[in-house]
C-alpha cells in the first residue's frame, strides 16, 4: 500500500493543505510553522485513514531506532494541535489506545505527476482537429 508521502500527492482537509514533498502544512494558502516530528505525526495519522494509531506505533515510526519517553510524543501532539488552531479537535486522543485523525481527507494529485496545463491544451487541440 502506498502512503501519501510516498506518492507525493498533496492532502487537503478543511482549510488545510499538506504538501508531503515539501514537508509543509498550509492553512488558507499560508504556511503554518510545524516542526519535523510534528509533521511526521500528522502524516502518520493521516495515512492511518481514520484508524487509531497506538502511541507505541507512532513512537516507533517517528523515533525509529531511538528510545524516547512518552512525553516526547505528547509534546509533538501538542505542537500539532497548536498548529491546527481552532481545528485542533481533528487530532483525537483515544484514551488508553492512541491517537486518531478525524478530518475528512481528500488526496490532491501532485502537480509534479499531473500533465502540465500546456500539454493538456495541446492534447485537446489535437483531439479536436482529428474529428
Amino acid at each position: 500500500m502506498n502512503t501519501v508521502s510516498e506518492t507525493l500527492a498533496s492532502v487537503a482537509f478543511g482549510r488545510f493543505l499538506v504538501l508531503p514533498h515539501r514537508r509543509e502544512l498550509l492553512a488558507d494558502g499560508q504556511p503554518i510553522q510545524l516542526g519535523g516530528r510534528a509533521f511526521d505525526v500528522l502524516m502518520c495519522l493521516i495515512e492511518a485513514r481514520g484508524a487509531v494509531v497506538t502511541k507505541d506505533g507512532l513512537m516507533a515510526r517517528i523515533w525509529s531506532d531511538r528510545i524516547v519517553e512518552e512525553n516526547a510524543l505528547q509534546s509533538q501532539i501538542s505542537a500539532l494541535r497548536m498548529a491546527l488552531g481552532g481545528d485542533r479537535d481533528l487530532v483525537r486522543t483515544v484514551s488508553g489506545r492512541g491517537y486518531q485523525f478525524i478530518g475528512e481527507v481528500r488526496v490532491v494529485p501532485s502537480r509534479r505527476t499531473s500533465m502540465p496545463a500546456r500539454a493538456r491544451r495541446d492534447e485537446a487541440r489535437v483531439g479536436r482537429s482529428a474529428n
Side-chain angles (χ1 to χ4, degrees):
M1 172 177 82
N2 285 348
T3 64
V4 172
S5 54
E6 288 172 348
T7 62
L8 296 181
S10 298
V11 177
F13 55 92
R15 62 189 189 99
F16 295 96
L17 180 65
V18 180
L19 306 170
H21 62 284
R22 291 179 19 194
R23 296 185 56 79
E24 192 169 33
L25 174 65
L26 306 175
D28 300 320
Q30 299 301 310
I32 299 295
Q33 182 123 18
L34 188 64
R37 290 215 164 92
F39 184 87
D40 291 340
V41 169
L42 175 62
M43 291 307 302
C44 288
L45 294 174
I46 288 172
E47 290 168 359
R49 301 174 187 196
V52 175
V53 182
T54 66
K55 293 174 185 178
D56 290 340
L58 279 170
M59 290 174 67
R61 178 134 176 227
I62 306 305
W63 291 277
S64 60
D65 301 327
R66 293 189 180 175
I67 298 173
V68 295
E69 297 293 322
E70 190 174 309
N71 65 354
L73 175 59
Q74 292 167 346
S75 174
Q76 297 307 314
I77 293 288
S78 292
L80 175 56
R81 286 179 172 150
M82 189 178 304
L84 295 173
D87 296 306
R88 65 186 301 112
D89 293 339
L90 290 172
V91 176
R92 181 174 164 239
T93 301
V94 180
S95 184
R97 293 185 54 212
Y99 298 94
Q100 178 182 37
F101 185 81
I102 61 170
E104 186 175 321
V105 175
R106 299 177 320 280
V107 175
V108 180
S110 172
R111 290 183 191 167
R112 296 165 127 192
T113 59
S114 64
M115 185 185 301
R118 182 177 174 171
R120 286 193 305 268
R121 285 192 306 270
D122 292 346
E123 185 177 279
R125 199 174 304 124
V126 170
R128 283 192 302 266
S129 64
N131 290 333

